mmCIF file of all heavy atoms in Angstrom:
data_model
loop_
_atom_site.group_PDB
_atom_site.id
_atom_site.type_symbol
_atom_site.label_atom_id
_atom_site.label_comp_id
_atom_site.label_asym_id
_atom_site.label_seq_id
_atom_site.Cartn_x
_atom_site.Cartn_y
_atom_site.Cartn_z
ATOM 1 N N GLU A 59 -0.282 -31.245 -57.246
ATOM 2 C CA GLU A 59 -1.219 -30.218 -57.687
ATOM 3 C C GLU A 59 -2.201 -29.857 -56.550
ATOM 4 O O GLU A 59 -2.561 -28.664 -56.399
ATOM 5 C CB GLU A 59 -2.073 -30.767 -58.927
ATOM 6 C CG GLU A 59 -1.196 -30.915 -60.213
ATOM 7 C CD GLU A 59 -2.002 -31.208 -61.416
ATOM 8 O OE1 GLU A 59 -3.220 -30.874 -61.329
ATOM 9 O OE2 GLU A 59 -1.494 -31.737 -62.356
ATOM 10 N N LEU A 60 -2.573 -30.833 -55.780
ATOM 11 C CA LEU A 60 -3.525 -30.576 -54.687
ATOM 12 C C LEU A 60 -2.897 -29.750 -53.594
ATOM 13 O O LEU A 60 -3.536 -28.720 -53.005
ATOM 14 C CB LEU A 60 -3.983 -31.939 -54.085
ATOM 15 C CG LEU A 60 -5.070 -31.774 -52.998
ATOM 16 C CD1 LEU A 60 -6.281 -31.008 -53.512
ATOM 17 C CD2 LEU A 60 -5.506 -33.222 -52.553
ATOM 18 N N ASN A 61 -1.587 -29.932 -53.278
ATOM 19 C CA ASN A 61 -0.907 -29.142 -52.274
ATOM 20 C C ASN A 61 -0.723 -27.738 -52.761
ATOM 21 O O ASN A 61 -0.874 -26.808 -52.047
ATOM 22 C CB ASN A 61 0.498 -29.778 -52.046
ATOM 23 C CG ASN A 61 0.341 -30.966 -51.090
ATOM 24 O OD1 ASN A 61 -0.430 -31.008 -50.199
ATOM 25 N ND2 ASN A 61 1.301 -31.906 -51.249
ATOM 26 N N ALA A 62 -0.492 -27.529 -54.073
ATOM 27 C CA ALA A 62 -0.332 -26.248 -54.640
ATOM 28 C C ALA A 62 -1.603 -25.480 -54.653
ATOM 29 O O ALA A 62 -1.688 -24.277 -54.330
ATOM 30 C CB ALA A 62 0.145 -26.367 -56.071
ATOM 31 N N LEU A 63 -2.771 -26.230 -54.818
ATOM 32 C CA LEU A 63 -4.134 -25.613 -54.671
ATOM 33 C C LEU A 63 -4.369 -25.136 -53.285
ATOM 34 O O LEU A 63 -4.898 -24.086 -53.158
ATOM 35 C CB LEU A 63 -5.187 -26.610 -55.225
ATOM 36 C CG LEU A 63 -6.607 -26.156 -54.983
ATOM 37 C CD1 LEU A 63 -6.877 -24.831 -55.762
ATOM 38 C CD2 LEU A 63 -7.584 -27.220 -55.425
ATOM 39 N N LYS A 64 -4.078 -26.019 -52.362
ATOM 40 C CA LYS A 64 -4.304 -25.603 -50.980
ATOM 41 C C LYS A 64 -3.490 -24.312 -50.544
ATOM 42 O O LYS A 64 -4.037 -23.496 -49.919
ATOM 43 C CB LYS A 64 -3.856 -26.822 -50.061
ATOM 44 C CG LYS A 64 -4.125 -26.560 -48.531
ATOM 45 C CD LYS A 64 -3.721 -27.668 -47.691
ATOM 46 C CE LYS A 64 -3.962 -27.341 -46.205
ATOM 47 N NZ LYS A 64 -3.506 -28.391 -45.289
ATOM 48 N N GLU A 65 -2.222 -24.284 -51.026
ATOM 49 C CA GLU A 65 -1.418 -23.165 -50.559
ATOM 50 C C GLU A 65 -1.979 -21.890 -51.262
ATOM 51 O O GLU A 65 -1.991 -20.813 -50.711
ATOM 52 C CB GLU A 65 0.010 -23.467 -51.058
ATOM 53 C CG GLU A 65 0.698 -24.485 -50.295
ATOM 54 C CD GLU A 65 2.141 -24.666 -50.759
ATOM 55 O OE1 GLU A 65 2.466 -24.113 -51.798
ATOM 56 O OE2 GLU A 65 2.839 -25.599 -50.234
ATOM 57 N N GLN A 66 -2.430 -22.041 -52.439
ATOM 58 C CA GLN A 66 -3.019 -20.923 -53.246
ATOM 59 C C GLN A 66 -4.210 -20.425 -52.511
ATOM 60 O O GLN A 66 -4.452 -19.165 -52.327
ATOM 61 C CB GLN A 66 -3.311 -21.299 -54.656
ATOM 62 C CG GLN A 66 -3.997 -20.240 -55.442
ATOM 63 C CD GLN A 66 -4.461 -20.625 -56.804
ATOM 64 O OE1 GLN A 66 -4.176 -21.858 -57.257
ATOM 65 N NE2 GLN A 66 -5.259 -19.867 -57.567
ATOM 66 N N ALA A 67 -5.113 -21.366 -52.056
ATOM 67 C CA ALA A 67 -6.405 -20.931 -51.399
ATOM 68 C C ALA A 67 -6.097 -20.290 -49.998
ATOM 69 O O ALA A 67 -6.689 -19.247 -49.758
ATOM 70 C CB ALA A 67 -7.271 -22.192 -51.182
ATOM 71 N N VAL A 68 -5.195 -20.830 -49.290
ATOM 72 C CA VAL A 68 -4.883 -20.352 -48.026
ATOM 73 C C VAL A 68 -4.268 -18.931 -48.163
ATOM 74 O O VAL A 68 -4.511 -17.947 -47.379
ATOM 75 C CB VAL A 68 -3.884 -21.227 -47.190
ATOM 76 C CG1 VAL A 68 -3.439 -20.638 -45.932
ATOM 77 C CG2 VAL A 68 -4.652 -22.578 -46.868
ATOM 78 N N ALA A 69 -3.297 -18.797 -49.103
ATOM 79 C CA ALA A 69 -2.656 -17.434 -49.312
ATOM 80 C C ALA A 69 -3.750 -16.408 -49.681
ATOM 81 O O ALA A 69 -3.647 -15.268 -49.215
ATOM 82 C CB ALA A 69 -1.591 -17.611 -50.426
ATOM 83 N N LYS A 70 -4.630 -16.780 -50.588
ATOM 84 C CA LYS A 70 -5.645 -15.813 -50.945
ATOM 85 C C LYS A 70 -6.487 -15.389 -49.755
ATOM 86 O O LYS A 70 -6.852 -14.174 -49.607
ATOM 87 C CB LYS A 70 -6.522 -16.468 -52.033
ATOM 88 C CG LYS A 70 -7.593 -15.487 -52.572
ATOM 89 C CD LYS A 70 -8.344 -16.118 -53.755
ATOM 90 C CE LYS A 70 -9.406 -15.227 -54.249
ATOM 91 N NZ LYS A 70 -10.178 -15.729 -55.441
ATOM 92 N N PHE A 71 -6.874 -16.377 -48.867
ATOM 93 C CA PHE A 71 -7.762 -16.108 -47.815
ATOM 94 C C PHE A 71 -6.959 -15.217 -46.714
ATOM 95 O O PHE A 71 -7.555 -14.244 -46.330
ATOM 96 C CB PHE A 71 -8.011 -17.407 -47.042
ATOM 97 C CG PHE A 71 -8.879 -17.290 -45.796
ATOM 98 C CD1 PHE A 71 -10.168 -17.057 -45.808
ATOM 99 C CD2 PHE A 71 -8.192 -17.209 -44.575
ATOM 100 C CE1 PHE A 71 -10.845 -16.940 -44.631
ATOM 101 C CE2 PHE A 71 -8.904 -17.093 -43.403
ATOM 102 C CZ PHE A 71 -10.272 -16.908 -43.454
ATOM 103 N N LYS A 72 -5.691 -15.497 -46.397
ATOM 104 C CA LYS A 72 -4.936 -14.639 -45.506
ATOM 105 C C LYS A 72 -4.733 -13.253 -45.963
ATOM 106 O O LYS A 72 -4.839 -12.260 -45.255
ATOM 107 C CB LYS A 72 -3.709 -15.396 -45.134
ATOM 108 C CG LYS A 72 -3.806 -16.571 -44.305
ATOM 109 C CD LYS A 72 -2.445 -17.124 -43.879
ATOM 110 C CE LYS A 72 -2.662 -18.303 -42.991
ATOM 111 N NZ LYS A 72 -1.272 -18.938 -42.531
ATOM 112 N N ALA A 73 -4.421 -13.121 -47.302
ATOM 113 C CA ALA A 73 -4.157 -11.776 -47.821
ATOM 114 C C ALA A 73 -5.399 -10.921 -47.702
ATOM 115 O O ALA A 73 -5.300 -9.795 -47.381
ATOM 116 C CB ALA A 73 -3.748 -11.942 -49.273
ATOM 117 N N LYS A 74 -6.567 -11.432 -48.074
ATOM 118 C CA LYS A 74 -7.749 -10.675 -47.984
ATOM 119 C C LYS A 74 -8.184 -10.409 -46.565
ATOM 120 O O LYS A 74 -8.714 -9.306 -46.273
ATOM 121 C CB LYS A 74 -8.883 -11.422 -48.744
ATOM 122 C CG LYS A 74 -10.112 -10.493 -49.020
ATOM 123 C CD LYS A 74 -9.702 -9.434 -50.026
ATOM 124 C CE LYS A 74 -10.864 -8.470 -50.275
ATOM 125 N NZ LYS A 74 -10.543 -7.352 -51.081
ATOM 126 N N GLN A 75 -7.919 -11.426 -45.711
ATOM 127 C CA GLN A 75 -8.266 -11.152 -44.293
ATOM 128 C C GLN A 75 -7.494 -10.072 -43.721
ATOM 129 O O GLN A 75 -7.947 -9.233 -42.944
ATOM 130 C CB GLN A 75 -7.957 -12.497 -43.476
ATOM 131 C CG GLN A 75 -8.351 -12.393 -42.036
ATOM 132 C CD GLN A 75 -8.027 -13.672 -41.292
ATOM 133 O OE1 GLN A 75 -6.867 -14.203 -41.514
ATOM 134 N NE2 GLN A 75 -8.938 -14.134 -40.492
ATOM 135 N N GLU A 76 -6.105 -9.978 -43.995
ATOM 136 C CA GLU A 76 -5.331 -8.868 -43.451
ATOM 137 C C GLU A 76 -5.749 -7.600 -44.094
ATOM 138 O O GLU A 76 -5.706 -6.515 -43.431
ATOM 139 C CB GLU A 76 -3.818 -9.148 -43.869
ATOM 140 C CG GLU A 76 -3.205 -10.301 -43.047
ATOM 141 C CD GLU A 76 -1.850 -10.731 -43.485
ATOM 142 O OE1 GLU A 76 -1.355 -10.028 -44.418
ATOM 143 O OE2 GLU A 76 -1.316 -11.668 -42.871
ATOM 144 N N GLU A 77 -6.095 -7.569 -45.267
ATOM 145 C CA GLU A 77 -6.535 -6.326 -46.023
ATOM 146 C C GLU A 77 -7.801 -5.786 -45.325
ATOM 147 O O GLU A 77 -7.936 -4.524 -45.101
ATOM 148 C CB GLU A 77 -6.789 -6.636 -47.501
ATOM 149 C CG GLU A 77 -7.249 -5.386 -48.231
ATOM 150 C CD GLU A 77 -7.509 -5.690 -49.668
ATOM 151 O OE1 GLU A 77 -7.020 -6.775 -50.221
ATOM 152 O OE2 GLU A 77 -8.287 -4.993 -50.332
ATOM 153 N N LEU A 78 -8.778 -6.668 -45.043
ATOM 154 C CA LEU A 78 -10.035 -6.270 -44.483
ATOM 155 C C LEU A 78 -9.790 -5.736 -43.011
ATOM 156 O O LEU A 78 -10.465 -4.776 -42.551
ATOM 157 C CB LEU A 78 -11.063 -7.409 -44.480
ATOM 158 C CG LEU A 78 -11.574 -7.826 -45.863
ATOM 159 C CD1 LEU A 78 -12.509 -9.036 -45.780
ATOM 160 C CD2 LEU A 78 -12.279 -6.610 -46.508
ATOM 161 N N GLU A 79 -8.862 -6.435 -42.189
ATOM 162 C CA GLU A 79 -8.668 -5.978 -40.847
ATOM 163 C C GLU A 79 -7.982 -4.635 -40.889
ATOM 164 O O GLU A 79 -8.275 -3.802 -40.036
ATOM 165 C CB GLU A 79 -7.751 -7.047 -40.171
ATOM 166 C CG GLU A 79 -8.510 -8.377 -39.827
ATOM 167 C CD GLU A 79 -7.577 -9.363 -39.217
ATOM 168 O OE1 GLU A 79 -6.357 -9.141 -39.115
ATOM 169 O OE2 GLU A 79 -8.151 -10.405 -38.754
ATOM 170 N N ALA A 80 -7.059 -4.432 -41.740
ATOM 171 C CA ALA A 80 -6.391 -3.140 -41.845
ATOM 172 C C ALA A 80 -7.333 -1.991 -42.164
ATOM 173 O O ALA A 80 -7.309 -0.917 -41.537
ATOM 174 C CB ALA A 80 -5.257 -3.144 -42.779
ATOM 175 N N ALA A 81 -8.216 -2.247 -43.087
ATOM 176 C CA ALA A 81 -9.240 -1.324 -43.443
ATOM 177 C C ALA A 81 -10.188 -0.983 -42.347
ATOM 178 O O ALA A 81 -10.587 0.170 -42.072
ATOM 179 C CB ALA A 81 -10.069 -1.789 -44.715
ATOM 180 N N SER A 82 -10.536 -1.996 -41.511
ATOM 181 C CA SER A 82 -11.479 -1.832 -40.431
ATOM 182 C C SER A 82 -10.778 -1.032 -39.346
ATOM 183 O O SER A 82 -11.373 -0.116 -38.753
ATOM 184 C CB SER A 82 -11.858 -3.162 -39.852
ATOM 185 O OG SER A 82 -12.649 -3.028 -38.651
ATOM 186 N N ALA A 83 -9.514 -1.268 -39.057
ATOM 187 C CA ALA A 83 -8.811 -0.532 -38.044
ATOM 188 C C ALA A 83 -8.629 0.945 -38.485
ATOM 189 O O ALA A 83 -8.680 1.895 -37.667
ATOM 190 C CB ALA A 83 -7.350 -1.035 -37.838
ATOM 191 N N ALA A 84 -8.471 1.223 -39.708
ATOM 192 C CA ALA A 84 -8.229 2.582 -40.194
ATOM 193 C C ALA A 84 -9.602 3.387 -40.032
ATOM 194 O O ALA A 84 -9.562 4.596 -39.724
ATOM 195 C CB ALA A 84 -7.852 2.585 -41.699
ATOM 196 N N THR A 85 -10.678 2.684 -40.260
ATOM 197 C CA THR A 85 -12.041 3.453 -40.145
ATOM 198 C C THR A 85 -12.453 3.649 -38.727
ATOM 199 O O THR A 85 -13.162 4.634 -38.461
ATOM 200 C CB THR A 85 -13.042 2.612 -40.926
ATOM 201 O OG1 THR A 85 -13.075 1.295 -40.355
ATOM 202 C CG2 THR A 85 -12.802 2.470 -42.397
ATOM 203 N N THR A 86 -11.920 2.838 -37.751
ATOM 204 C CA THR A 86 -12.357 2.976 -36.406
ATOM 205 C C THR A 86 -11.397 3.889 -35.673
ATOM 206 O O THR A 86 -11.696 4.210 -34.449
ATOM 207 C CB THR A 86 -12.391 1.659 -35.706
ATOM 208 O OG1 THR A 86 -11.128 0.973 -35.786
ATOM 209 C CG2 THR A 86 -13.437 0.706 -36.320
ATOM 210 N N GLU A 87 -10.265 4.256 -36.228
ATOM 211 C CA GLU A 87 -9.347 5.087 -35.508
ATOM 212 C C GLU A 87 -9.873 6.522 -35.291
ATOM 213 O O GLU A 87 -10.418 7.153 -36.231
ATOM 214 C CB GLU A 87 -8.076 5.183 -36.310
ATOM 215 C CG GLU A 87 -6.951 5.997 -35.524
ATOM 216 C CD GLU A 87 -5.628 6.028 -36.330
ATOM 217 O OE1 GLU A 87 -5.570 5.313 -37.388
ATOM 218 O OE2 GLU A 87 -4.733 6.798 -35.968
ATOM 219 N N ILE A 88 -9.798 7.009 -34.080
ATOM 220 C CA ILE A 88 -10.363 8.266 -33.707
ATOM 221 C C ILE A 88 -9.406 9.317 -34.043
ATOM 222 O O ILE A 88 -8.280 9.349 -33.513
ATOM 223 C CB ILE A 88 -10.726 8.332 -32.162
ATOM 224 C CG1 ILE A 88 -11.824 7.237 -31.920
ATOM 225 C CG2 ILE A 88 -11.289 9.745 -31.805
ATOM 226 C CD1 ILE A 88 -12.106 7.105 -30.414
ATOM 227 N N GLU A 89 -9.795 10.333 -34.780
ATOM 228 C CA GLU A 89 -8.919 11.439 -35.091
ATOM 229 C C GLU A 89 -9.058 12.468 -34.028
ATOM 230 O O GLU A 89 -10.100 12.775 -33.488
ATOM 231 C CB GLU A 89 -9.398 12.110 -36.451
ATOM 232 C CG GLU A 89 -9.224 11.193 -37.581
ATOM 233 C CD GLU A 89 -9.631 11.876 -38.915
ATOM 234 O OE1 GLU A 89 -9.948 13.064 -38.829
ATOM 235 O OE2 GLU A 89 -9.533 11.208 -40.034
ATOM 236 N N PHE A 90 -7.812 12.993 -33.554
ATOM 237 C CA PHE A 90 -7.833 13.986 -32.449
ATOM 238 C C PHE A 90 -8.009 15.346 -33.032
ATOM 239 O O PHE A 90 -7.353 15.796 -33.972
ATOM 240 C CB PHE A 90 -6.487 13.846 -31.799
ATOM 241 C CG PHE A 90 -6.354 14.732 -30.628
ATOM 242 C CD1 PHE A 90 -6.931 14.369 -29.378
ATOM 243 C CD2 PHE A 90 -5.641 15.961 -30.625
ATOM 244 C CE1 PHE A 90 -6.864 15.187 -28.266
ATOM 245 C CE2 PHE A 90 -5.542 16.760 -29.581
ATOM 246 C CZ PHE A 90 -6.207 16.393 -28.332
ATOM 247 N N ASP A 91 -8.894 16.037 -32.338
ATOM 248 C CA ASP A 91 -9.213 17.454 -32.609
ATOM 249 C C ASP A 91 -8.292 18.382 -31.870
ATOM 250 O O ASP A 91 -8.524 18.522 -30.638
ATOM 251 C CB ASP A 91 -10.686 17.719 -32.451
ATOM 252 C CG ASP A 91 -11.071 19.101 -32.866
ATOM 253 O OD1 ASP A 91 -10.150 19.837 -33.423
ATOM 254 O OD2 ASP A 91 -12.265 19.446 -32.860
ATOM 255 N N PHE A 92 -7.358 18.911 -32.509
ATOM 256 C CA PHE A 92 -6.325 19.763 -31.821
ATOM 257 C C PHE A 92 -6.888 21.142 -31.442
ATOM 258 O O PHE A 92 -6.299 21.917 -30.761
ATOM 259 C CB PHE A 92 -5.017 20.002 -32.672
ATOM 260 C CG PHE A 92 -4.284 18.675 -32.746
ATOM 261 C CD1 PHE A 92 -4.390 17.818 -33.843
ATOM 262 C CD2 PHE A 92 -3.270 18.412 -31.769
ATOM 263 C CE1 PHE A 92 -3.732 16.720 -33.984
ATOM 264 C CE2 PHE A 92 -2.567 17.224 -31.873
ATOM 265 C CZ PHE A 92 -2.823 16.370 -32.942
ATOM 266 N N THR A 93 -8.093 21.427 -31.908
ATOM 267 C CA THR A 93 -8.729 22.753 -31.551
ATOM 268 C C THR A 93 -9.527 22.704 -30.235
ATOM 269 O O THR A 93 -9.940 23.694 -29.758
ATOM 270 C CB THR A 93 -9.716 23.190 -32.592
ATOM 271 O OG1 THR A 93 -10.833 22.172 -32.741
ATOM 272 C CG2 THR A 93 -8.927 23.265 -34.008
ATOM 273 N N LEU A 94 -9.582 21.404 -29.682
ATOM 274 C CA LEU A 94 -10.388 21.324 -28.395
ATOM 275 C C LEU A 94 -9.534 21.951 -27.203
ATOM 276 O O LEU A 94 -8.350 21.918 -27.306
ATOM 277 C CB LEU A 94 -10.527 19.867 -28.062
ATOM 278 C CG LEU A 94 -11.551 19.085 -28.967
ATOM 279 C CD1 LEU A 94 -11.556 17.557 -28.575
ATOM 280 C CD2 LEU A 94 -12.950 19.605 -28.814
ATOM 281 N N PRO A 95 -10.196 22.544 -26.247
ATOM 282 C CA PRO A 95 -9.459 23.091 -25.126
ATOM 283 C C PRO A 95 -8.728 22.001 -24.296
ATOM 284 O O PRO A 95 -9.266 20.907 -24.290
ATOM 285 C CB PRO A 95 -10.605 23.804 -24.294
ATOM 286 C CG PRO A 95 -11.831 23.132 -24.711
ATOM 287 C CD PRO A 95 -11.631 22.664 -26.091
ATOM 288 N N VAL A 96 -7.693 22.350 -23.664
ATOM 289 C CA VAL A 96 -6.912 21.405 -22.821
ATOM 290 C C VAL A 96 -7.700 20.914 -21.632
ATOM 291 O O VAL A 96 -8.578 21.747 -21.113
ATOM 292 C CB VAL A 96 -5.542 21.998 -22.492
ATOM 293 C CG1 VAL A 96 -4.756 22.248 -23.705
ATOM 294 C CG2 VAL A 96 -5.742 23.282 -21.654
#
Side-chain angles (χ1 to χ4, degrees):
E59 292 188 23
L60 184 55
N61 283 328
L63 173 60
K64 180 181 178 181
E65 292 176 359
Q66 177 187 352
V68 171
K70 181 176 181 177
F71 177 83
K72 288 184 176 180
K74 194 62 181 180
Q75 185 182 42
E76 292 175 359
E77 181 184 338
L78 292 175
E79 288 177 352
S82 176
T85 56
T86 56
E87 184 177 353
I88 300 175
E89 294 184 2
F90 184 78
D91 186 355
F92 290 95
T93 64
L94 292 174
V96 298

